[in-house]
Amino acid sequence: MNEYALQLKNITKKYHDGESENIVLKDISLNVKHGEFVAIVGPSGSGKSTLLSIAGMLLSPNSGEIVLNGKCLSDEKQKNWTKIRRKQIGFIFQNHQLLPYLTVEDQLKLVKNMNKKVSLDVNETLKELGLKDCAKKYPSNMSGGEKQRIAIARAFMNNPDVILADEPTASLDGTRGRQVVEMIKKEVMKHNKAAVMVTHDERILDLVDVIYRMDKGILVRDN
């Protein structure tokens, strides 16, 4: 096993706006080990979400390399990116993005059916995360905290190497937000995953292993 689950090497992302050029990410590098929980904080518009999208292979950089488990994926054909994401990356979105017409149990089964190599059991996963009572519920019958916890369960369902969380506490109060991040931390440690969380919430930073701060497209590690 490679020491690092995720590496971003000299990532630059820029957009053209007429004749002007807007550089969103400036030569950014990031290394995340297996079992390590990393937070990226910074003001709106600093480039945090763009960096997360590139790490999750949802967006291409203008230059630089994306490396998962020691394998450089930047030169992979775009048509292979979906397959790589499905097998190696789990996403936790700010608005959880649950399908309204599926029960919790069926949400997780859908993920499992998309990746035939997944060995995780849906009911065991729900039980482990304290969500067994939600198995037959639809999203409309759950609280915001429950929905976000289901989103976490879904992210871990395909047994990915890397978890990417985009503002997972944004729609929750302080107590529920902390519970959600504690849940991510527990699963990262237990299953030796790498996790990167973009957040504005400074109150939960004591739960992560490493903190980076981003401003104007530049990423700096906290001492």
Side-chain angles (χ1 to χ4, degrees), residues 24-46:
V24 182
L25 302 176
K26 302 176 182 178
D27 196 34
I28 284 177
S29 294
L30 175 69
N31 296 318
V32 188
K33 298 177 180 179
H34 295 273
E36 190 171 55
F37 191 8
V38 171
I40 299 176
V41 296
S44 296
S46 61

mmCIF file of all heavy atoms in Angstrom, residues 24-46:
data_model
loop_
_atom_site.group_PDB
_atom_site.id
_atom_site.type_symbol
_atom_site.label_atom_id
_atom_site.label_comp_id
_atom_site.label_asym_id
_atom_site.label_seq_id
_atom_site.Cartn_x
_atom_site.Cartn_y
_atom_site.Cartn_z
ATOM 1 N N VAL A 24 -7.729 30.482 -10.110
ATOM 2 C CA VAL A 24 -8.466 30.049 -8.914
ATOM 3 C C VAL A 24 -7.568 29.269 -7.965
ATOM 4 O O VAL A 24 -7.652 29.429 -6.746
ATOM 5 C CB VAL A 24 -9.680 29.180 -9.322
ATOM 6 C CG1 VAL A 24 -10.491 28.774 -8.091
ATOM 7 C CG2 VAL A 24 -10.576 29.936 -10.297
ATOM 8 N N LEU A 25 -6.710 28.415 -8.504
ATOM 9 C CA LEU A 25 -5.768 27.626 -7.705
ATOM 10 C C LEU A 25 -4.360 27.853 -8.242
ATOM 11 O O LEU A 25 -4.131 27.743 -9.446
ATOM 12 C CB LEU A 25 -6.115 26.136 -7.772
ATOM 13 C CG LEU A 25 -7.516 25.735 -7.311
ATOM 14 C CD1 LEU A 25 -7.743 24.243 -7.537
ATOM 15 C CD2 LEU A 25 -7.737 26.081 -5.852
ATOM 16 N N LYS A 26 -3.438 28.137 -7.328
ATOM 17 C CA LYS A 26 -2.091 28.514 -7.732
ATOM 18 C C LYS A 26 -1.063 27.484 -7.253
ATOM 19 O O LYS A 26 -0.628 27.511 -6.115
ATOM 20 C CB LYS A 26 -1.746 29.898 -7.170
ATOM 21 C CG LYS A 26 -2.712 30.996 -7.621
ATOM 22 C CD LYS A 26 -2.395 32.326 -6.966
ATOM 23 C CE LYS A 26 -3.388 33.407 -7.370
ATOM 24 N NZ LYS A 26 -3.113 34.701 -6.702
ATOM 25 N N ASP A 27 -0.721 26.543 -8.121
ATOM 26 C CA ASP A 27 0.371 25.602 -7.871
ATOM 27 C C ASP A 27 0.223 24.918 -6.508
ATOM 28 O O ASP A 27 1.140 24.925 -5.679
ATOM 29 C CB ASP A 27 1.704 26.338 -7.960
ATOM 30 C CG ASP A 27 2.879 25.387 -8.088
ATOM 31 O OD1 ASP A 27 2.726 24.329 -8.716
ATOM 32 O OD2 ASP A 27 3.948 25.692 -7.535
ATOM 33 N N ILE A 28 -0.935 24.285 -6.287
ATOM 34 C CA ILE A 28 -1.250 23.682 -4.983
ATOM 35 C C ILE A 28 -0.825 22.223 -4.917
ATOM 36 O O ILE A 28 -1.047 21.451 -5.850
ATOM 37 C CB ILE A 28 -2.768 23.805 -4.702
ATOM 38 C CG1 ILE A 28 -3.096 25.238 -4.299
ATOM 39 C CG2 ILE A 28 -3.218 22.821 -3.618
ATOM 40 C CD1 ILE A 28 -4.548 25.497 -4.073
ATOM 41 N N SER A 29 -0.219 21.852 -3.790
ATOM 42 C CA SER A 29 0.127 20.455 -3.530
ATOM 43 C C SER A 29 -0.453 20.031 -2.186
ATOM 44 O O SER A 29 -0.466 20.815 -1.229
ATOM 45 C CB SER A 29 1.647 20.259 -3.525
ATOM 46 O OG SER A 29 2.196 20.488 -4.819
ATOM 47 N N LEU A 30 -0.936 18.792 -2.128
ATOM 48 C CA LEU A 30 -1.578 18.260 -0.920
ATOM 49 C C LEU A 30 -1.353 16.765 -0.853
ATOM 50 O O LEU A 30 -1.566 16.055 -1.845
ATOM 51 C CB LEU A 30 -3.086 18.563 -0.960
ATOM 52 C CG LEU A 30 -3.954 17.982 0.151
ATOM 53 C CD1 LEU A 30 -3.639 18.649 1.490
ATOM 54 C CD2 LEU A 30 -5.434 18.145 -0.181
ATOM 55 N N ASN A 31 -0.894 16.272 0.294
ATOM 56 C CA ASN A 31 -0.694 14.842 0.511
ATOM 57 C C ASN A 31 -1.543 14.387 1.694
ATOM 58 O O ASN A 31 -1.476 14.986 2.770
ATOM 59 C CB ASN A 31 0.781 14.535 0.818
ATOM 60 C CG ASN A 31 1.691 14.872 -0.348
ATOM 61 O OD1 ASN A 31 1.376 14.596 -1.503
ATOM 62 N ND2 ASN A 31 2.825 15.486 -0.052
ATOM 63 N N VAL A 32 -2.346 13.337 1.494
ATOM 64 C CA VAL A 32 -3.206 12.821 2.558
ATOM 65 C C VAL A 32 -2.947 11.329 2.723
ATOM 66 O O VAL A 32 -3.108 10.548 1.778
ATOM 67 C CB VAL A 32 -4.698 13.056 2.250
ATOM 68 C CG1 VAL A 32 -5.547 12.694 3.463
ATOM 69 C CG2 VAL A 32 -4.959 14.502 1.848
ATOM 70 N N LYS A 33 -2.558 10.948 3.942
ATOM 71 C CA LYS A 33 -2.236 9.547 4.225
ATOM 72 C C LYS A 33 -3.504 8.737 4.506
ATOM 73 O O LYS A 33 -4.556 9.285 4.821
ATOM 74 C CB LYS A 33 -1.313 9.457 5.441
ATOM 75 C CG LYS A 33 0.029 10.135 5.254
ATOM 76 C CD LYS A 33 0.855 10.053 6.537
ATOM 77 C CE LYS A 33 2.204 10.724 6.378
ATOM 78 N NZ LYS A 33 3.002 10.679 7.633
ATOM 79 N N HIS A 34 -3.367 7.430 4.413
ATOM 80 C CA HIS A 34 -4.434 6.538 4.844
ATOM 81 C C HIS A 34 -4.682 6.757 6.343
ATOM 82 O O HIS A 34 -3.740 6.873 7.134
ATOM 83 C CB HIS A 34 -4.042 5.075 4.605
ATOM 84 C CG HIS A 34 -3.888 4.722 3.157
ATOM 85 N ND1 HIS A 34 -4.935 4.318 2.369
ATOM 86 C CD2 HIS A 34 -2.797 4.727 2.353
ATOM 87 C CE1 HIS A 34 -4.510 4.076 1.144
ATOM 88 N NE2 HIS A 34 -3.207 4.317 1.106
ATOM 89 N N GLY A 35 -5.947 6.850 6.741
ATOM 90 C CA GLY A 35 -6.287 7.056 8.143
ATOM 91 C C GLY A 35 -6.162 8.494 8.606
ATOM 92 O O GLY A 35 -6.290 8.769 9.794
ATOM 93 N N GLU A 36 -5.929 9.423 7.678
ATOM 94 C CA GLU A 36 -5.733 10.832 8.032
ATOM 95 C C GLU A 36 -6.952 11.655 7.630
ATOM 96 O O GLU A 36 -7.495 11.505 6.531
ATOM 97 C CB GLU A 36 -4.489 11.366 7.331
ATOM 98 C CG GLU A 36 -4.047 12.748 7.801
ATOM 99 C CD GLU A 36 -2.695 13.128 7.245
ATOM 100 O OE1 GLU A 36 -2.520 13.092 5.995
ATOM 101 O OE2 GLU A 36 -1.792 13.438 8.038
ATOM 102 N N PHE A 37 -7.370 12.553 8.533
ATOM 103 C CA PHE A 37 -8.528 13.408 8.340
ATOM 104 C C PHE A 37 -8.029 14.850 8.220
ATOM 105 O O PHE A 37 -7.483 15.406 9.166
ATOM 106 C CB PHE A 37 -9.482 13.245 9.534
ATOM 107 C CG PHE A 37 -10.840 13.877 9.356
ATOM 108 C CD1 PHE A 37 -11.252 14.407 8.156
ATOM 109 C CD2 PHE A 37 -11.719 13.922 10.435
ATOM 110 C CE1 PHE A 37 -12.508 14.976 7.998
ATOM 111 C CE2 PHE A 37 -12.980 14.478 10.306
ATOM 112 C CZ PHE A 37 -13.379 15.007 9.078
ATOM 113 N N VAL A 38 -8.214 15.438 7.046
ATOM 114 C CA VAL A 38 -7.693 16.768 6.734
ATOM 115 C C VAL A 38 -8.845 17.755 6.550
ATOM 116 O O VAL A 38 -9.860 17.428 5.915
ATOM 117 C CB VAL A 38 -6.840 16.720 5.449
ATOM 118 C CG1 VAL A 38 -6.477 18.122 4.978
ATOM 119 C CG2 VAL A 38 -5.579 15.894 5.677
ATOM 120 N N ALA A 39 -8.695 18.950 7.093
ATOM 121 C CA ALA A 39 -9.669 20.019 6.884
ATOM 122 C C ALA A 39 -9.034 21.150 6.100
ATOM 123 O O ALA A 39 -7.870 21.503 6.320
ATOM 124 C CB ALA A 39 -10.193 20.540 8.219
ATOM 125 N N ILE A 40 -9.813 21.720 5.175
ATOM 126 C CA ILE A 40 -9.398 22.902 4.438
ATOM 127 C C ILE A 40 -10.390 24.008 4.754
ATOM 128 O O ILE A 40 -11.592 23.866 4.511
ATOM 129 C CB ILE A 40 -9.354 22.641 2.923
ATOM 130 C CG1 ILE A 40 -8.351 21.527 2.602
ATOM 131 C CG2 ILE A 40 -8.990 23.915 2.170
ATOM 132 C CD1 ILE A 40 -8.312 21.133 1.144
ATOM 133 N N VAL A 41 -9.895 25.099 5.321
ATOM 134 C CA VAL A 41 -10.757 26.223 5.692
ATOM 135 C C VAL A 41 -10.312 27.474 4.948
ATOM 136 O O VAL A 41 -9.165 27.590 4.519
ATOM 137 C CB VAL A 41 -10.735 26.469 7.220
ATOM 138 C CG1 VAL A 41 -11.312 25.295 7.974
ATOM 139 C CG2 VAL A 41 -9.323 26.764 7.708
ATOM 140 N N GLY A 42 -11.257 28.397 4.818
ATOM 141 C CA GLY A 42 -10.941 29.641 4.128
ATOM 142 C C GLY A 42 -12.210 30.353 3.733
ATOM 143 O O GLY A 42 -13.300 29.772 3.763
ATOM 144 N N PRO A 43 -12.118 31.613 3.353
ATOM 145 C CA PRO A 43 -13.300 32.397 2.996
ATOM 146 C C PRO A 43 -13.955 31.904 1.714
ATOM 147 O O PRO A 43 -13.337 31.188 0.916
ATOM 148 C CB PRO A 43 -12.738 33.820 2.825
ATOM 149 C CG PRO A 43 -11.308 33.616 2.472
ATOM 150 C CD PRO A 43 -10.872 32.397 3.223
ATOM 151 N N SER A 44 -15.204 32.299 1.515
ATOM 152 C CA SER A 44 -15.904 31.973 0.268
ATOM 153 C C SER A 44 -15.130 32.571 -0.909
ATOM 154 O O SER A 44 -14.605 33.682 -0.830
ATOM 155 C CB SER A 44 -17.315 32.548 0.295
ATOM 156 O OG SER A 44 -18.079 31.956 1.321
ATOM 157 N N GLY A 45 -15.043 31.792 -1.976
ATOM 158 C CA GLY A 45 -14.340 32.268 -3.159
ATOM 159 C C GLY A 45 -12.844 32.067 -3.129
ATOM 160 O O GLY A 45 -12.139 32.514 -4.043
ATOM 161 N N SER A 46 -12.350 31.374 -2.099
ATOM 162 C CA SER A 46 -10.901 31.181 -1.987
ATOM 163 C C SER A 46 -10.394 30.018 -2.832
ATOM 164 O O SER A 46 -9.188 29.855 -3.000
ATOM 165 C CB SER A 46 -10.512 30.952 -0.522
ATOM 166 O OG SER A 46 -11.141 29.792 -0.005
#
